[in-house]
Amino acid sequence: MGMDAQQRRWVKPLIVAWTAAICLFLYMPVAAAALASLSQSRYFTFPVAKWSTVWWGKTFDSIQIRELIETSITIAMLVTAISVVLAFFGALAFARYRWRGRSLYQRLVLLPIFFPQSVLGLALLLWFSALGLTLSWQTAVFAHLVWIVPVATLVIAIQVYSFDPALEEAAADLGASRWQVLKEVTLPVLWPGIFSGALFSFLLSWGNFPLSLFTTGADSTVPEYLYAKMIAGYTPGVPVLGTVSTLGAAVLLLGGYGLITVIRRARGT
Amino acid sequence: MVSGRFPILELRGLTKRFGELAAVDAVDLDILEGEFFTIVGPSGSGKTTVLRMLAGMESPSSGDILLKGERINDVPANRRPTCMVFQSLALFPHRTVGQNIEFALKIRGDAAASRRARAFELMDLLRLPRSYYKRGVTQISGGERQRVALARAFAYDPQILFFDEPLSAIDYKLRKTLEKELKDIHRETGKTFVYITHSLEEAMVMSDRIGVMRAGRLVQVGTPHEIYTEPRDKFVSEFMGEVNVIDVVADADGLLFAEAFGTRLTAPAHRRGFQKGHLVIRPESLRFLERPEQAENRFEGTLYNEYVLGSRIQYQVRVGEHVFAVERLRQHAFGGRLDDRVLIGWNAVDSILVEE
């Protein structure tokens, strides 16, 4: 409105340049870490003097690092499985059904998202010791759940809000039992939301540091190891593992959303 | 057309309370086997709640629902031999046209080949091209989706089909076509249809009988003709569309007096003891007069405005504070100019007297 052609010609390149600058700002650190992993030198210097993939080889050969990745994946998979089940029914409870106390319930369930995670981790640590539990990766699974179930609930609820309850009624009206309604209609229709919730759960658990720090005890996860090594005993193995962790997450995320897009297209929605 | 059939569905004092509010208040009704029955009422009249109770999606607070004489209050929706076509249609978005139609058959455990054969039969009946079988339900038009929803309901082979305003979100032209189509399908299948709508016009086109609801109560039940010519009260008559209503009281001689106009009116016969009510005159029953003696009742007024309503033209005539609507077919358009003094009138037989 009121913008002449002269001005308009400048607007588009400006928007493109601004967007590119923001992306650069966001992704530069990740790229820098990837570059650092390709240094031959034991110490982190920039610019990189001598390029090499020697630390990549060393990292992949390390039994300790394999164990770390195994622990992180085990925690993340368990957290994913449990949070998806809890979050699915939790989200249905407040986004699908109307009942007294619904909005209070919704706030209570979602509140832990806003707790500072380090405080939450410490509180859980105290709680675990009060209960006399030995800290290990299993206690970390529980700690992750406290924070991740609410996030997954929120993610799944977004899908549930757009769900037409008449679909369930129609299925029941056509003879389906409760279980058949869930299996044939509710789950398949909400599937993209459930899948997003699972993806979020896995990645948030995989990358979580503050909760793991307090609750894994003698076990260690990838982010914990990275932190410890950065504090003391840095090698380019740290950026190698960091880059692998980030790339893995990115592939999972993009692949996951690619899959959802393909399925949505096939359904024509 | 309907007489001699037995009631397939009986509502006995059917009531549904939400807290203090009686959304449906002691409704008694018989719906006959094979008829097209429409419950019509404004939003909040309780018609949807009645339908949901009949379909098994709400349970009555009191009263009974009998299907072929058997009480079905506590039978859940998935065990009732009835099926609903929803306002949103509620087609399963993750399934194809074919899978939607076959849903009930799949639940029942029919083999794929027989399901498919039945789906094709229904697609033929509803004039859906067989090539749509593998299409997604989101890839077809609104009218086609309507037919898929119908086919899906027919596949269940219900004894009664319920319709929850399935045409309300469809544009005027397509809706008119689908109304007639639905009536044709009713004829072809011979099933009992129970339809709800807020549009009496829609109800008139399709129904064998109509029940008018207001504030949880069934106000009047009758054929479209009965509802049109003998509305029981002002609400029903006004619900029928635009009408002229004159408040009347019986004077000492038992004659009707219109206080707003300070004049007596010649009205249809009324019972002794009638005290006050409303005289309803449809716009098409009001006429422009050349001489006063052409009608039993008449008013002089000013031609205020005119509106073209397709095949008809509506004129607004102001008589004092009161505005009358007069309608004529387009080919008999009234020649007067705006602000002309005009004489309008009607005979007693063309008016309807409803008691308050």
Side-chain angles (χ1 to χ4, degrees):
Chain A
M1 264 196 289
M3 205 192 288
D4 58 34
Q6 188 78 39
Q7 270 178 305
R8 212 171 295 139
R9 217 182 321 149
W10 285 105
V11 170
K12 209 179 169 197
L14 271 176
I15 291 175
V16 170
W18 173 252
T19 312
I22 295 283
C23 286
L24 201 66
F25 178 75
L26 288 174
Y27 287 98
M28 188 79 104
V30 180
L35 289 178
S37 73
L38 291 167
S39 167
Q40 196 190 11
S41 152
R42 195 172 154 90
Y43 304 101
F44 186 47
T45 52
F46 206 79
V48 176
K50 253 187 153 178
W51 301 92
S52 152
T53 55
V54 61
W55 286 102
W56 280 76
K58 280 188 188 171
T59 306
F60 281 110
D61 288 340
S62 159
I63 293 169
Q64 191 199 1
I65 287 178
R66 277 195 206 158
E67 277 178 358
L68 282 173
I69 294 179
E70 265 176 37
T71 309
S72 274
I73 290 184
T74 311
I75 295 175
M77 294 216 299
L78 274 169
V79 166
T80 305
I82 300 171
S83 26
V84 163
V85 174
L86 293 179
F88 173 68
F89 292 107
L92 274 191
F94 72 74
R96 161 77 178 80
Y97 298 100
R98 312 253 164 269
W99 43 284
R100 256 164 81 102
R102 184 176 74 113
S103 60
L104 180 68
Y105 162 83
Q106 177 181 356
R107 273 164 218 160
L108 279 177
V109 163
L110 299 185
L111 200 59
I113 297 175
F114 305 106
F115 291 165
Q117 285 191 59
S118 43
V119 178
L120 192 61
L122 182 62
L124 283 161
L125 170 64
L126 296 173
W127 185 231
F128 288 141
S129 21
L131 290 173
L133 293 172
T134 314
L135 296 181
S136 70
W137 63 267
Q138 283 112 322
T139 44
V141 168
F142 188 81
H144 282 198
L145 285 173
V146 172
W147 189 68
I148 291 174
V149 168
V151 177
T153 307
L154 192 64
V155 171
I156 295 175
I158 293 166
Q159 182 88 36
V160 178
Y161 274 119
S162 66
F163 181 78
D164 178 7
L167 291 179
E168 287 184 345
E169 288 181 337
D173 196 38
L174 290 162
S177 65
R178 266 192 105 90
W179 165 242
Q180 284 170 320
V181 171
L182 185 70
K183 183 167 75 86
E184 298 288 336
V185 177
T186 317
L187 278 173
V189 173
L190 295 178
W191 185 85
I194 296 168
F195 186 74
S196 295
L199 220 48
F200 262 84
S201 304
F202 189 90
L203 293 173
L204 289 175
S205 171
W206 170 259
N208 188 279
F209 169 65
L211 294 169
S212 298
L213 178 68
F214 286 103
T215 54
T216 46
D219 295 326
S220 185
T221 63
V222 172
E224 275 183 275
Y225 171 82
L226 290 175
Y227 178 73
K229 278 289 182 183
M230 278 184 269
I231 298 291
Y234 175 85
T235 69
V238 170
V240 169
L241 192 54
T243 307
V244 168
S245 171
T246 311
L247 280 180
V251 166
L252 196 62
L253 197 64
L254 294 176
Y257 280 99
L259 190 65
I260 289 190
T261 313
V262 167
I263 289 172
R264 286 230 168 106
R265 286 248 170 87
R267 281 187 196 175
T269 46
Chain B
M1 188 170 167
V2 190
S3 60
R5 297 193 193 153
F6 68 91
I8 186 165
L9 207 52
E10 295 162 73
L11 286 62
R12 295 283 168 263
L14 194 64
T15 301
K16 178 73 184 179
R17 273 184 287 273
F18 295 109
E20 290 289 290
L21 177 87
V24 176
D25 195 1
V27 167
D28 288 301
L29 175 68
D30 285 356
I31 291 167
L32 307 179
E33 165 102 60
E35 80 173 326
F36 195 133
F37 190 92
T38 301
I39 300 173
V40 59
S43 57
S45 59
K47 59 187 190 302
T48 303
T49 310
V50 169
L51 200 72
R52 290 178 62 82
M53 285 192 280
L54 297 183
M57 290 159 200
E58 299 275 359
S59 50
S61 305
S62 62
D64 287 320
I65 305 167
L66 309 178
L67 179 76
K68 293 189 169 166
E70 302 236 0
R71 187 172 176 277
I72 57 161
N73 284 29
D74 307 316
V75 180
N78 60 348
R79 302 262 172 76
R80 291 192 191 186
T82 60
C83 200
M84 171 111 101
V85 176
F86 288 80
Q87 184 164 27
S88 65
L89 300 183
L91 293 176
F92 305 128
H94 59 299
R95 300 259 193 258
T96 61
V97 167
Q99 287 169 333
N100 263 279
I101 298 174
E102 292 174 13
F103 187 84
L105 307 174
K106 192 181 168 201
I107 291 294
R108 205 168 68 188
D110 286 12
S114 84
R115 294 201 308 247
R116 196 184 164 99
R118 180 69 182 138
F120 279 150
E121 256 176 57
L122 288 165
M123 288 173 82
D124 293 347
L125 171 75
L126 292 160
R127 274 163 287 159
L128 276 165
R130 287 189 176 198
S131 60
Y132 279 24
Y133 184 83
K134 286 208 149 95
R135 289 232 190 140
V137 284
T138 47
Q139 296 164 325
I140 57 177
S141 75
E144 288 158 356
R145 302 231 305 237
Q146 198 78 43
R147 289 179 211 153
V148 173
L150 258 175
R152 185 179 70 175
F154 277 123
Y156 185 64
D157 198 23
Q159 295 183 18
I160 306 176
L161 268 113
F162 298 120
F163 296 86
D164 180 11
E165 305 207 47
L167 301 182
S168 62
I170 291 179
D171 67 81
Y172 183 82
K173 195 163 166 265
L174 182 59
R175 189 167 72 231
K176 291 287 136 199
T177 314
L178 291 174
E179 281 170 5
K180 287 183 187 153
E181 234 179 77
L182 204 55
K183 191 165 183 175
D184 294 345
I185 291 164
H186 174 248
R187 237 200 103 126
E188 278 165 50
T189 59
K191 299 259 185 205
T192 309
F193 281 21
V194 181
Y195 194 99
I196 67 166
T197 175
H198 60 271
S199 159
L200 194 56
E201 196 193 343
E202 191 170 303
M204 290 276 173
V205 174
M206 297 186 290
S207 321
D208 295 319
R209 287 195 308 149
I210 294 172
V212 183
M213 275 193 83
R214 178 199 188 187
R217 288 181 167 276
L218 203 53
V219 183
Q220 187 173 5
V221 178
T223 63
H225 182 74
E226 283 164 2
I227 302 266
Y228 192 81
T229 54
E230 300 159 40
R232 183 159 300 162
D233 61 15
K234 189 174 164 220
F235 170 77
V236 176
S237 66
E238 284 184 333
F239 200 64
M240 300 274 318
E242 216 170 342
V243 289
N244 299 294
V245 178
I246 301 171
D247 297 342
V248 288
V249 293
D251 63 16
D253 309 324
L255 295 172
L256 294 182
F257 186 72
E259 282 173 319
F261 301 94
T263 176
R264 273 188 180 166
L265 293 173
T266 311
H270 49 277
R271 66 173 188 89
R272 289 171 70 89
F274 176 96
Q275 285 190 324
K276 70 195 279 209
H278 314 275
L279 197 60
V280 178
I281 311 121
R282 296 190 186 290
E284 67 269 23
S285 302
L286 264 182
R287 291 176 291 137
F288 288 104
L289 309 175
E290 278 153 24
R291 293 183 308 278
E293 57 276 17
Q294 283 174 323
E296 292 168 6
N297 297 303
R298 59 204 156 257
F299 288 119
E300 197 187 344
T302 310
L303 185 59
Y304 178 70
N305 216 339
E306 62 176 59
Y307 313 97
V308 179
L309 311 172
S311 60
R312 294 161 298 129
I313 302 177
Q314 187 184 89
Y315 303 90
Q316 289 220 328
V317 176
R318 289 204 163 171
V319 178
E321 295 289 291
H322 210 91
V323 179
F324 285 92
V326 185
E327 280 180 20
R328 281 192 159 192
L329 286 174
R330 181 200 277 281
Q331 57 267 39
H332 302 301
F334 179 60
R337 284 195 308 264
L338 298 186
D339 294 329
D340 277 0
R341 294 297 285 173
V342 291
L343 201 59
I344 54 172
W346 72 98
N347 287 334
V349 291
D350 296 324
S351 63
I352 302 152
L353 185 64
V354 293
E355 256 192 90
E356 190 158 291

